[in-house]
Amino acid sequence: MNSNGDTRGVTVRLERIGIVRQGRDGEKAEILRDASFSARSGEITAIVGPSGGGKSSLIRLINRLNEPSSGKVFLDGEEIASIDPLLLRRRVAMVLQKPFMFEGTVLSNLQRPFLYRQEPLPVAESHDIRHVMELARLAPALIERDSRTLSLGEQQRVSLARALITRPQVLLLDEPTSALDRPTADRLAATFHDICRSQLLTVILVTHDLRLAGRIADYLLYLEGGRILEEGRAEELLSRPRTAELRRFLAEPLEKEP
């Protein structure tokens, strides 16, 4: 929902989310406070902010890798607490910062979601496999390669294809380019952008890379100290920040950590 209450095209909605965790010393720490935002189909929503501000904790709520202490998360108007986590993760897929490859070929990695669901495994020539390979811009010749011998950029693309093969509505990206060199990161970012538009996915991206956010994000959230301090169209926020916190963050991009 935007500032005027328009919910058209909204796929994901978070309402007044709070996360409180107990530390090793027994003291309670507030990770997120009263965080609310919406993300739309066919758009990339980027979440930026200092390290330790709660970005990854926030995104992990959307497929129930984390649970909120307060507030609600909705997918197409349905509260996700009522959805079986395994079913939810077919609809809300995640690509992590460091791609994990299962032992075996690229094909066996792409078959893994079907194995978990105890469904027939698609063969290399199937539409599902060919489609996600094309979407992730993976060369067909890679299908029989040992996945763990691929470059880091190729592994990240396999991870993306594996997420897409469940035909999700929402794609969560948690620092997906931070371990890549700039040219590889730029190519992968272009892939995210094209997939978002062509598949009408709701893409939510956590990144410390302001350059990346500026290039591909439609909507931007600035999160610091567990609170969303600014949100709006990405181009506007990056060029005309309203808060002192975001202005300071934009002025010191080289000091940001993943």
mmCIF file of all heavy atoms in Angstrom, residues 101-149:
data_model
loop_
_atom_site.group_PDB
_atom_site.id
_atom_site.type_symbol
_atom_site.label_atom_id
_atom_site.label_comp_id
_atom_site.label_asym_id
_atom_site.label_seq_id
_atom_site.Cartn_x
_atom_site.Cartn_y
_atom_site.Cartn_z
ATOM 1 N N MET A 101 25.367 -25.089 -3.583
ATOM 2 C CA MET A 101 25.161 -26.093 -4.606
ATOM 3 C C MET A 101 25.128 -27.476 -3.970
ATOM 4 O O MET A 101 26.035 -27.858 -3.210
ATOM 5 C CB MET A 101 26.291 -26.047 -5.646
ATOM 6 C CG MET A 101 26.370 -24.773 -6.466
ATOM 7 S SD MET A 101 25.005 -24.539 -7.641
ATOM 8 C CE MET A 101 23.953 -23.399 -6.726
ATOM 9 N N PHE A 102 24.064 -28.228 -4.258
ATOM 10 C CA PHE A 102 24.023 -29.615 -3.836
ATOM 11 C C PHE A 102 25.023 -30.415 -4.666
ATOM 12 O O PHE A 102 25.353 -30.043 -5.800
ATOM 13 C CB PHE A 102 22.621 -30.191 -4.036
ATOM 14 C CG PHE A 102 21.582 -29.568 -3.146
ATOM 15 C CD1 PHE A 102 20.748 -28.562 -3.618
ATOM 16 C CD2 PHE A 102 21.434 -30.003 -1.831
ATOM 17 C CE1 PHE A 102 19.800 -27.985 -2.800
ATOM 18 C CE2 PHE A 102 20.475 -29.426 -1.006
ATOM 19 C CZ PHE A 102 19.659 -28.420 -1.484
ATOM 20 N N GLU A 103 25.510 -31.487 -4.127
ATOM 21 C CA GLU A 103 26.447 -32.330 -4.851
ATOM 22 C C GLU A 103 25.784 -32.854 -6.114
ATOM 23 O O GLU A 103 24.630 -33.270 -6.099
ATOM 24 C CB GLU A 103 26.897 -33.495 -3.966
ATOM 25 C CG GLU A 103 27.995 -34.343 -4.571
ATOM 26 C CD GLU A 103 28.480 -35.415 -3.619
ATOM 27 O OE1 GLU A 103 28.048 -35.418 -2.450
ATOM 28 O OE2 GLU A 103 29.299 -36.249 -4.051
ATOM 29 N N GLY A 104 26.510 -32.814 -7.223
ATOM 30 C CA GLY A 104 25.969 -33.321 -8.483
ATOM 31 C C GLY A 104 25.945 -32.252 -9.554
ATOM 32 O O GLY A 104 26.550 -31.179 -9.429
ATOM 33 N N THR A 105 25.209 -32.521 -10.603
ATOM 34 C CA THR A 105 25.177 -31.662 -11.772
ATOM 35 C C THR A 105 24.232 -30.477 -11.578
ATOM 36 O O THR A 105 23.452 -30.420 -10.615
ATOM 37 C CB THR A 105 24.714 -32.458 -13.003
ATOM 38 O OG1 THR A 105 23.360 -32.889 -12.768
ATOM 39 C CG2 THR A 105 25.602 -33.668 -13.266
ATOM 40 N N VAL A 106 24.310 -29.564 -12.535
ATOM 41 C CA VAL A 106 23.342 -28.469 -12.567
ATOM 42 C C VAL A 106 21.931 -29.030 -12.667
ATOM 43 O O VAL A 106 21.012 -28.580 -11.969
ATOM 44 C CB VAL A 106 23.645 -27.526 -13.750
ATOM 45 C CG1 VAL A 106 22.508 -26.525 -13.960
ATOM 46 C CG2 VAL A 106 24.968 -26.798 -13.520
ATOM 47 N N LEU A 107 21.740 -30.038 -13.510
ATOM 48 C CA LEU A 107 20.418 -30.643 -13.654
ATOM 49 C C LEU A 107 19.911 -31.190 -12.326
ATOM 50 O O LEU A 107 18.757 -30.938 -11.941
ATOM 51 C CB LEU A 107 20.458 -31.767 -14.693
ATOM 52 C CG LEU A 107 19.151 -32.557 -14.863
ATOM 53 C CD1 LEU A 107 18.021 -31.642 -15.301
ATOM 54 C CD2 LEU A 107 19.346 -33.696 -15.865
ATOM 55 N N SER A 108 20.749 -31.904 -11.594
ATOM 56 C CA SER A 108 20.286 -32.474 -10.321
ATOM 57 C C SER A 108 19.948 -31.383 -9.312
ATOM 58 O O SER A 108 19.049 -31.547 -8.486
ATOM 59 C CB SER A 108 21.323 -33.446 -9.756
ATOM 60 O OG SER A 108 22.518 -32.782 -9.405
ATOM 61 N N ASN A 109 20.646 -30.245 -9.392
ATOM 62 C CA ASN A 109 20.300 -29.119 -8.518
ATOM 63 C C ASN A 109 18.933 -28.551 -8.880
ATOM 64 O O ASN A 109 18.147 -28.199 -7.991
ATOM 65 C CB ASN A 109 21.363 -28.030 -8.607
ATOM 66 C CG ASN A 109 22.474 -28.206 -7.586
ATOM 67 O OD1 ASN A 109 22.435 -27.613 -6.508
ATOM 68 N ND2 ASN A 109 23.444 -29.048 -7.916
ATOM 69 N N LEU A 110 18.644 -28.466 -10.175
ATOM 70 C CA LEU A 110 17.349 -27.939 -10.601
ATOM 71 C C LEU A 110 16.216 -28.921 -10.328
ATOM 72 O O LEU A 110 15.054 -28.520 -10.206
ATOM 73 C CB LEU A 110 17.391 -27.580 -12.093
ATOM 74 C CG LEU A 110 18.402 -26.505 -12.485
ATOM 75 C CD1 LEU A 110 18.322 -26.208 -13.976
ATOM 76 C CD2 LEU A 110 18.200 -25.230 -11.679
ATOM 77 N N GLN A 111 16.555 -30.185 -10.213
ATOM 78 C CA GLN A 111 15.544 -31.200 -9.894
ATOM 79 C C GLN A 111 15.234 -31.276 -8.405
ATOM 80 O O GLN A 111 14.232 -31.884 -8.004
ATOM 81 C CB GLN A 111 16.027 -32.582 -10.372
ATOM 82 C CG GLN A 111 16.086 -32.753 -11.883
ATOM 83 C CD GLN A 111 16.765 -34.046 -12.288
ATOM 84 O OE1 GLN A 111 17.630 -34.560 -11.550
ATOM 85 N NE2 GLN A 111 16.408 -34.571 -13.437
ATOM 86 N N ARG A 112 16.077 -30.670 -7.594
ATOM 87 C CA ARG A 112 15.960 -30.818 -6.139
ATOM 88 C C ARG A 112 14.583 -30.420 -5.585
ATOM 89 O O ARG A 112 14.029 -31.147 -4.751
ATOM 90 C CB ARG A 112 17.063 -29.999 -5.475
ATOM 91 C CG ARG A 112 17.130 -30.115 -3.980
ATOM 92 C CD ARG A 112 17.544 -31.465 -3.468
ATOM 93 N NE ARG A 112 18.841 -31.896 -3.955
ATOM 94 C CZ ARG A 112 19.595 -32.819 -3.356
ATOM 95 N NH1 ARG A 112 19.178 -33.372 -2.226
ATOM 96 N NH2 ARG A 112 20.745 -33.182 -3.883
ATOM 97 N N PRO A 113 13.964 -29.308 -6.012
ATOM 98 C CA PRO A 113 12.636 -28.988 -5.477
ATOM 99 C C PRO A 113 11.598 -30.071 -5.753
ATOM 100 O O PRO A 113 10.712 -30.313 -4.925
ATOM 101 C CB PRO A 113 12.278 -27.676 -6.181
ATOM 102 C CG PRO A 113 13.596 -27.071 -6.526
ATOM 103 C CD PRO A 113 14.470 -28.235 -6.882
ATOM 104 N N PHE A 114 11.703 -30.733 -6.912
ATOM 105 C CA PHE A 114 10.756 -31.800 -7.249
ATOM 106 C C PHE A 114 11.011 -33.022 -6.365
ATOM 107 O O PHE A 114 10.071 -33.719 -5.967
ATOM 108 C CB PHE A 114 10.887 -32.172 -8.729
ATOM 109 C CG PHE A 114 10.546 -31.049 -9.658
ATOM 110 C CD1 PHE A 114 11.513 -30.131 -10.057
ATOM 111 C CD2 PHE A 114 9.247 -30.882 -10.124
ATOM 112 C CE1 PHE A 114 11.197 -29.083 -10.914
ATOM 113 C CE2 PHE A 114 8.918 -29.839 -10.978
ATOM 114 C CZ PHE A 114 9.903 -28.931 -11.363
ATOM 115 N N LEU A 115 12.281 -33.273 -6.063
ATOM 116 C CA LEU A 115 12.640 -34.374 -5.185
ATOM 117 C C LEU A 115 12.036 -34.175 -3.800
ATOM 118 O O LEU A 115 11.467 -35.091 -3.209
ATOM 119 C CB LEU A 115 14.162 -34.483 -5.095
ATOM 120 C CG LEU A 115 14.750 -35.679 -4.349
ATOM 121 C CD1 LEU A 115 14.421 -36.979 -5.071
ATOM 122 C CD2 LEU A 115 16.261 -35.528 -4.214
ATOM 123 N N TYR A 116 12.139 -32.946 -3.280
ATOM 124 C CA TYR A 116 11.572 -32.641 -1.967
ATOM 125 C C TYR A 116 10.059 -32.841 -1.955
ATOM 126 O O TYR A 116 9.480 -33.251 -0.951
ATOM 127 C CB TYR A 116 11.898 -31.201 -1.561
ATOM 128 C CG TYR A 116 13.333 -30.972 -1.158
ATOM 129 C CD1 TYR A 116 13.943 -29.737 -1.359
ATOM 130 C CD2 TYR A 116 14.085 -31.986 -0.571
ATOM 131 C CE1 TYR A 116 15.260 -29.513 -0.990
ATOM 132 C CE2 TYR A 116 15.405 -31.764 -0.195
ATOM 133 C CZ TYR A 116 15.981 -30.541 -0.408
ATOM 134 O OH TYR A 116 17.285 -30.330 -0.038
ATOM 135 N N ARG A 117 9.420 -32.512 -3.084
ATOM 136 C CA ARG A 117 7.955 -32.616 -3.152
ATOM 137 C C ARG A 117 7.498 -34.004 -3.566
ATOM 138 O O ARG A 117 6.322 -34.252 -3.723
ATOM 139 C CB ARG A 117 7.420 -31.581 -4.149
ATOM 140 C CG ARG A 117 7.644 -30.183 -3.633
ATOM 141 C CD ARG A 117 7.213 -29.035 -4.496
ATOM 142 N NE ARG A 117 6.942 -29.211 -5.889
ATOM 143 C CZ ARG A 117 7.306 -28.320 -6.826
ATOM 144 N NH1 ARG A 117 8.012 -27.256 -6.488
ATOM 145 N NH2 ARG A 117 6.975 -28.491 -8.070
ATOM 146 N N GLN A 118 8.473 -34.908 -3.748
ATOM 147 C CA GLN A 118 8.184 -36.287 -4.152
ATOM 148 C C GLN A 118 7.356 -36.316 -5.444
ATOM 149 O O GLN A 118 6.387 -37.055 -5.572
ATOM 150 C CB GLN A 118 7.476 -37.053 -3.025
ATOM 151 C CG GLN A 118 8.329 -37.169 -1.772
ATOM 152 C CD GLN A 118 7.666 -37.976 -0.674
ATOM 153 O OE1 GLN A 118 6.448 -37.938 -0.496
ATOM 154 N NE2 GLN A 118 8.454 -38.733 0.062
ATOM 155 N N GLU A 119 7.802 -35.491 -6.390
ATOM 156 C CA GLU A 119 7.171 -35.416 -7.696
ATOM 157 C C GLU A 119 8.147 -35.940 -8.749
ATOM 158 O O GLU A 119 9.359 -35.983 -8.519
ATOM 159 C CB GLU A 119 6.783 -33.970 -8.017
ATOM 160 C CG GLU A 119 5.725 -33.401 -7.085
ATOM 161 C CD GLU A 119 5.426 -31.951 -7.389
ATOM 162 O OE1 GLU A 119 6.058 -31.385 -8.304
ATOM 163 O OE2 GLU A 119 4.556 -31.376 -6.704
ATOM 164 N N PRO A 120 7.651 -36.349 -9.923
ATOM 165 C CA PRO A 120 8.543 -36.817 -10.988
ATOM 166 C C PRO A 120 9.581 -35.760 -11.339
ATOM 167 O O PRO A 120 9.264 -34.566 -11.416
ATOM 168 C CB PRO A 120 7.586 -37.081 -12.167
ATOM 169 C CG PRO A 120 6.256 -37.321 -11.532
ATOM 170 C CD PRO A 120 6.231 -36.453 -10.309
ATOM 171 N N LEU A 121 10.818 -36.187 -11.542
ATOM 172 C CA LEU A 121 11.898 -35.253 -11.831
ATOM 173 C C LEU A 121 11.879 -34.855 -13.308
ATOM 174 O O LEU A 121 11.849 -35.716 -14.185
ATOM 175 C CB LEU A 121 13.242 -35.879 -11.479
ATOM 176 C CG LEU A 121 13.414 -36.374 -10.042
ATOM 177 C CD1 LEU A 121 14.834 -36.892 -9.835
ATOM 178 C CD2 LEU A 121 13.084 -35.291 -9.033
ATOM 179 N N PRO A 122 11.919 -33.574 -13.606
ATOM 180 C CA PRO A 122 11.969 -33.153 -15.010
ATOM 181 C C PRO A 122 13.319 -33.503 -15.631
ATOM 182 O O PRO A 122 14.355 -33.420 -14.978
ATOM 183 C CB PRO A 122 11.776 -31.638 -14.933
ATOM 184 C CG PRO A 122 12.283 -31.268 -13.573
ATOM 185 C CD PRO A 122 11.955 -32.428 -12.680
ATOM 186 N N VAL A 123 13.292 -33.900 -16.880
ATOM 187 C CA VAL A 123 14.531 -34.227 -17.593
ATOM 188 C C VAL A 123 15.112 -32.952 -18.188
ATOM 189 O O VAL A 123 14.467 -31.906 -18.245
ATOM 190 C CB VAL A 123 14.283 -35.288 -18.691
ATOM 191 C CG1 VAL A 123 13.791 -36.582 -18.063
ATOM 192 C CG2 VAL A 123 13.288 -34.771 -19.722
ATOM 193 N N ALA A 124 16.344 -33.064 -18.671
ATOM 194 C CA ALA A 124 17.055 -31.887 -19.177
ATOM 195 C C ALA A 124 16.308 -31.208 -20.324
ATOM 196 O O ALA A 124 16.372 -29.985 -20.475
ATOM 197 C CB ALA A 124 18.458 -32.287 -19.617
ATOM 198 N N GLU A 125 15.596 -31.999 -21.141
ATOM 199 C CA GLU A 125 14.905 -31.445 -22.307
ATOM 200 C C GLU A 125 13.512 -30.925 -21.984
ATOM 201 O O GLU A 125 12.804 -30.431 -22.876
ATOM 202 C CB GLU A 125 14.796 -32.513 -23.407
ATOM 203 C CG GLU A 125 16.119 -32.997 -23.966
ATOM 204 C CD GLU A 125 16.813 -33.997 -23.021
ATOM 205 O OE1 GLU A 125 16.113 -34.551 -22.129
ATOM 206 O OE2 GLU A 125 18.033 -34.205 -23.178
ATOM 207 N N SER A 126 13.095 -31.015 -20.720
ATOM 208 C CA SER A 126 11.733 -30.606 -20.362
ATOM 209 C C SER A 126 11.575 -29.093 -20.452
ATOM 210 O O SER A 126 12.548 -28.329 -20.377
ATOM 211 C CB SER A 126 11.397 -31.071 -18.945
ATOM 212 O OG SER A 126 12.164 -30.345 -18.000
ATOM 213 N N HIS A 127 10.329 -28.665 -20.578
ATOM 214 C CA HIS A 127 10.049 -27.227 -20.663
ATOM 215 C C HIS A 127 10.491 -26.510 -19.392
ATOM 216 O O HIS A 127 11.078 -25.418 -19.475
ATOM 217 C CB HIS A 127 8.549 -27.001 -20.880
ATOM 218 C CG HIS A 127 8.157 -25.551 -20.757
ATOM 219 N ND1 HIS A 127 8.409 -24.623 -21.746
ATOM 220 C CD2 HIS A 127 7.558 -24.865 -19.736
ATOM 221 C CE1 HIS A 127 7.974 -23.440 -21.345
ATOM 222 N NE2 HIS A 127 7.456 -23.548 -20.134
ATOM 223 N N ASP A 128 10.219 -27.101 -18.220
ATOM 224 C CA ASP A 128 10.573 -26.453 -16.953
ATOM 225 C C ASP A 128 12.060 -26.153 -16.873
ATOM 226 O O ASP A 128 12.470 -25.048 -16.507
ATOM 227 C CB ASP A 128 10.164 -27.334 -15.759
ATOM 228 C CG ASP A 128 8.670 -27.298 -15.488
ATOM 229 O OD1 ASP A 128 8.008 -26.340 -15.927
ATOM 230 O OD2 ASP A 128 8.164 -28.229 -14.845
ATOM 231 N N ILE A 129 12.878 -27.154 -17.202
ATOM 232 C CA ILE A 129 14.334 -26.980 -17.118
ATOM 233 C C ILE A 129 14.816 -25.971 -18.146
ATOM 234 O O ILE A 129 15.582 -25.050 -17.831
ATOM 235 C CB ILE A 129 15.061 -28.325 -17.295
ATOM 236 C CG1 ILE A 129 14.699 -29.303 -16.169
ATOM 237 C CG2 ILE A 129 16.573 -28.111 -17.378
ATOM 238 C CD1 ILE A 129 15.191 -28.914 -14.799
ATOM 239 N N ARG A 130 14.380 -26.129 -19.383
ATOM 240 C CA ARG A 130 14.841 -25.215 -20.438
ATOM 241 C C ARG A 130 14.400 -23.780 -20.146
ATOM 242 O O ARG A 130 15.148 -22.832 -20.383
ATOM 243 C CB ARG A 130 14.308 -25.682 -21.803
ATOM 244 C CG ARG A 130 15.002 -26.932 -22.333
ATOM 245 C CD ARG A 130 14.594 -27.276 -23.754
ATOM 246 N NE ARG A 130 13.223 -27.756 -23.822
ATOM 247 C CZ ARG A 130 12.194 -27.064 -24.292
ATOM 248 N NH1 ARG A 130 12.383 -25.835 -24.749
ATOM 249 N NH2 ARG A 130 10.986 -27.579 -24.331
ATOM 250 N N HIS A 131 13.195 -23.626 -19.600
ATOM 251 C CA HIS A 131 12.659 -22.296 -19.333
ATOM 252 C C HIS A 131 13.472 -21.568 -18.268
ATOM 253 O O HIS A 131 13.863 -20.401 -18.464
ATOM 254 C CB HIS A 131 11.201 -22.416 -18.895
ATOM 255 C CG HIS A 131 10.524 -21.118 -18.639
ATOM 256 N ND1 HIS A 131 10.406 -20.124 -19.600
ATOM 257 C CD2 HIS A 131 9.920 -20.623 -17.513
ATOM 258 C CE1 HIS A 131 9.756 -19.092 -19.081
ATOM 259 N NE2 HIS A 131 9.467 -19.360 -17.826
ATOM 260 N N VAL A 132 13.755 -22.236 -17.141
ATOM 261 C CA VAL A 132 14.493 -21.540 -16.078
ATOM 262 C C VAL A 132 15.959 -21.337 -16.454
ATOM 263 O O VAL A 132 16.567 -20.335 -16.044
ATOM 264 C CB VAL A 132 14.372 -22.254 -14.713
ATOM 265 C CG1 VAL A 132 12.924 -22.259 -14.249
ATOM 266 C CG2 VAL A 132 14.949 -23.656 -14.731
ATOM 267 N N MET A 133 16.530 -22.243 -17.238
ATOM 268 C CA MET A 133 17.894 -22.030 -17.725
ATOM 269 C C MET A 133 17.947 -20.771 -18.589
ATOM 270 O O MET A 133 18.868 -19.949 -18.469
ATOM 271 C CB MET A 133 18.365 -23.241 -18.527
ATOM 272 C CG MET A 133 18.612 -24.508 -17.721
ATOM 273 S SD MET A 133 20.216 -24.535 -16.876
ATOM 274 C CE MET A 133 21.340 -24.778 -18.261
ATOM 275 N N GLU A 134 16.946 -20.604 -19.428
ATOM 276 C CA GLU A 134 16.897 -19.426 -20.291
ATOM 277 C C GLU A 134 16.680 -18.160 -19.474
ATOM 278 O O GLU A 134 17.339 -17.143 -19.706
ATOM 279 C CB GLU A 134 15.774 -19.596 -21.315
ATOM 280 C CG GLU A 134 15.659 -18.440 -22.298
ATOM 281 C CD GLU A 134 14.565 -18.655 -23.327
ATOM 282 O OE1 GLU A 134 14.046 -19.785 -23.431
ATOM 283 O OE2 GLU A 134 14.217 -17.680 -24.014
ATOM 284 N N LEU A 135 15.750 -18.212 -18.491
ATOM 285 C CA LEU A 135 15.484 -17.045 -17.671
ATOM 286 C C LEU A 135 16.732 -16.596 -16.916
ATOM 287 O O LEU A 135 17.002 -15.392 -16.798
ATOM 288 C CB LEU A 135 14.363 -17.349 -16.662
ATOM 289 C CG LEU A 135 12.936 -17.402 -17.183
ATOM 290 C CD1 LEU A 135 11.995 -17.821 -16.067
ATOM 291 C CD2 LEU A 135 12.498 -16.067 -17.759
ATOM 292 N N ALA A 136 17.483 -17.570 -16.384
ATOM 293 C CA ALA A 136 18.679 -17.252 -15.602
ATOM 294 C C ALA A 136 19.917 -17.041 -16.470
ATOM 295 O O ALA A 136 21.011 -16.826 -15.951
ATOM 296 C CB ALA A 136 18.939 -18.367 -14.587
ATOM 297 N N ARG A 137 19.733 -17.101 -17.783
ATOM 298 C CA ARG A 137 20.820 -16.903 -18.748
ATOM 299 C C ARG A 137 21.969 -17.880 -18.505
ATOM 300 O O ARG A 137 23.141 -17.509 -18.463
ATOM 301 C CB ARG A 137 21.315 -15.453 -18.706
ATOM 302 C CG ARG A 137 20.248 -14.448 -19.090
ATOM 303 C CD ARG A 137 20.757 -13.030 -19.054
ATOM 304 N NE ARG A 137 19.682 -12.066 -19.339
ATOM 305 C CZ ARG A 137 19.800 -10.750 -19.242
ATOM 306 N NH1 ARG A 137 20.959 -10.222 -18.870
ATOM 307 N NH2 ARG A 137 18.796 -9.958 -19.503
ATOM 308 N N LEU A 138 21.589 -19.145 -18.365
ATOM 309 C CA LEU A 138 22.563 -20.227 -18.236
ATOM 310 C C LEU A 138 22.675 -20.949 -19.574
ATOM 311 O O LEU A 138 21.664 -21.345 -20.161
ATOM 312 C CB LEU A 138 22.118 -21.219 -17.156
ATOM 313 C CG LEU A 138 22.294 -20.769 -15.703
ATOM 314 C CD1 LEU A 138 21.464 -21.646 -14.780
ATOM 315 C CD2 LEU A 138 23.760 -20.803 -15.300
ATOM 316 N N ALA A 139 23.881 -21.135 -20.051
ATOM 317 C CA ALA A 139 24.094 -21.828 -21.324
ATOM 318 C C ALA A 139 23.624 -23.276 -21.219
ATOM 319 O O ALA A 139 23.896 -23.945 -20.220
ATOM 320 C CB ALA A 139 25.568 -21.787 -21.700
ATOM 321 N N PRO A 140 22.896 -23.788 -22.201
ATOM 322 C CA PRO A 140 22.417 -25.174 -22.159
ATOM 323 C C PRO A 140 23.538 -26.184 -21.918
ATOM 324 O O PRO A 140 23.306 -27.231 -21.290
ATOM 325 C CB PRO A 140 21.787 -25.372 -23.541
ATOM 326 C CG PRO A 140 21.400 -23.992 -23.985
ATOM 327 C CD PRO A 140 22.441 -23.080 -23.421
ATOM 328 N N ALA A 141 24.761 -25.874 -22.377
ATOM 329 C CA ALA A 141 25.875 -26.819 -22.223
ATOM 330 C C ALA A 141 26.248 -27.044 -20.764
ATOM 331 O O ALA A 141 26.937 -28.024 -20.442
ATOM 332 C CB ALA A 141 27.091 -26.305 -22.999
ATOM 333 N N LEU A 142 25.791 -26.165 -19.864
ATOM 334 C CA LEU A 142 26.143 -26.305 -18.447
ATOM 335 C C LEU A 142 25.303 -27.355 -17.724
ATOM 336 O O LEU A 142 25.636 -27.721 -16.596
ATOM 337 C CB LEU A 142 25.976 -24.965 -17.722
ATOM 338 C CG LEU A 142 26.901 -23.829 -18.128
ATOM 339 C CD1 LEU A 142 26.547 -22.564 -17.349
ATOM 340 C CD2 LEU A 142 28.355 -24.207 -17.887
ATOM 341 N N ILE A 143 24.269 -27.853 -18.355
ATOM 342 C CA ILE A 143 23.283 -28.672 -17.651
ATOM 343 C C ILE A 143 23.892 -29.931 -17.022
ATOM 344 O O ILE A 143 23.471 -30.372 -15.953
ATOM 345 C CB ILE A 143 22.106 -29.041 -18.593
ATOM 346 C CG1 ILE A 143 20.918 -29.574 -17.791
ATOM 347 C CG2 ILE A 143 22.532 -30.024 -19.663
ATOM 348 C CD1 ILE A 143 20.227 -28.555 -16.948
ATOM 349 N N GLU A 144 24.905 -30.512 -17.649
ATOM 350 C CA GLU A 144 25.518 -31.735 -17.120
ATOM 351 C C GLU A 144 26.829 -31.464 -16.383
ATOM 352 O O GLU A 144 27.512 -32.405 -15.965
ATOM 353 C CB GLU A 144 25.755 -32.749 -18.243
ATOM 354 C CG GLU A 144 24.473 -33.273 -18.892
ATOM 355 C CD GLU A 144 23.560 -34.002 -17.902
ATOM 356 O OE1 GLU A 144 24.068 -34.465 -16.846
ATOM 357 O OE2 GLU A 144 22.352 -34.114 -18.177
ATOM 358 N N ARG A 145 27.174 -30.193 -16.201
ATOM 359 C CA ARG A 145 28.391 -29.857 -15.467
ATOM 360 C C ARG A 145 28.211 -30.103 -13.976
ATOM 361 O O ARG A 145 27.127 -29.948 -13.420
ATOM 362 C CB ARG A 145 28.737 -28.378 -15.687
ATOM 363 C CG ARG A 145 29.397 -28.072 -17.005
ATOM 364 C CD ARG A 145 30.908 -28.234 -16.959
ATOM 365 N NE ARG A 145 31.524 -27.403 -15.935
ATOM 366 C CZ ARG A 145 31.871 -26.131 -16.116
ATOM 367 N NH1 ARG A 145 31.640 -25.521 -17.273
ATOM 368 N NH2 ARG A 145 32.452 -25.450 -15.128
ATOM 369 N N ASP A 146 29.299 -30.467 -13.308
ATOM 370 C CA ASP A 146 29.287 -30.555 -11.854
ATOM 371 C C ASP A 146 29.079 -29.140 -11.315
ATOM 372 O O ASP A 146 29.873 -28.238 -11.581
ATOM 373 C CB ASP A 146 30.634 -31.127 -11.376
ATOM 374 C CG ASP A 146 30.692 -31.318 -9.866
ATOM 375 O OD1 ASP A 146 30.003 -30.584 -9.130
ATOM 376 O OD2 ASP A 146 31.443 -32.192 -9.411
ATOM 377 N N SER A 147 28.017 -28.949 -10.564
ATOM 378 C CA SER A 147 27.637 -27.601 -10.141
ATOM 379 C C SER A 147 28.710 -26.928 -9.294
ATOM 380 O O SER A 147 28.853 -25.703 -9.318
ATOM 381 C CB SER A 147 26.317 -27.640 -9.363
ATOM 382 O OG SER A 147 26.453 -28.412 -8.190
ATOM 383 N N ARG A 148 29.473 -27.716 -8.553
ATOM 384 C CA ARG A 148 30.470 -27.134 -7.651
ATOM 385 C C ARG A 148 31.753 -26.730 -8.372
ATOM 386 O O ARG A 148 32.648 -26.142 -7.763
ATOM 387 C CB ARG A 148 30.758 -28.095 -6.504
ATOM 388 C CG ARG A 148 29.538 -28.283 -5.602
ATOM 389 C CD ARG A 148 29.782 -29.199 -4.440
ATOM 390 N NE ARG A 148 28.599 -29.278 -3.577
ATOM 391 C CZ ARG A 148 28.506 -30.063 -2.503
ATOM 392 N NH1 ARG A 148 29.519 -30.847 -2.164
ATOM 393 N NH2 ARG A 148 27.395 -30.076 -1.779
ATOM 394 N N THR A 149 31.847 -27.011 -9.658
ATOM 395 C CA THR A 149 33.004 -26.572 -10.439
ATOM 396 C C THR A 149 32.715 -25.275 -11.194
ATOM 397 O O THR A 149 33.602 -24.737 -11.856
ATOM 398 C CB THR A 149 33.438 -27.650 -11.448
ATOM 399 O OG1 THR A 149 32.420 -27.797 -12.456
ATOM 400 C CG2 THR A 149 33.680 -28.986 -10.763
#
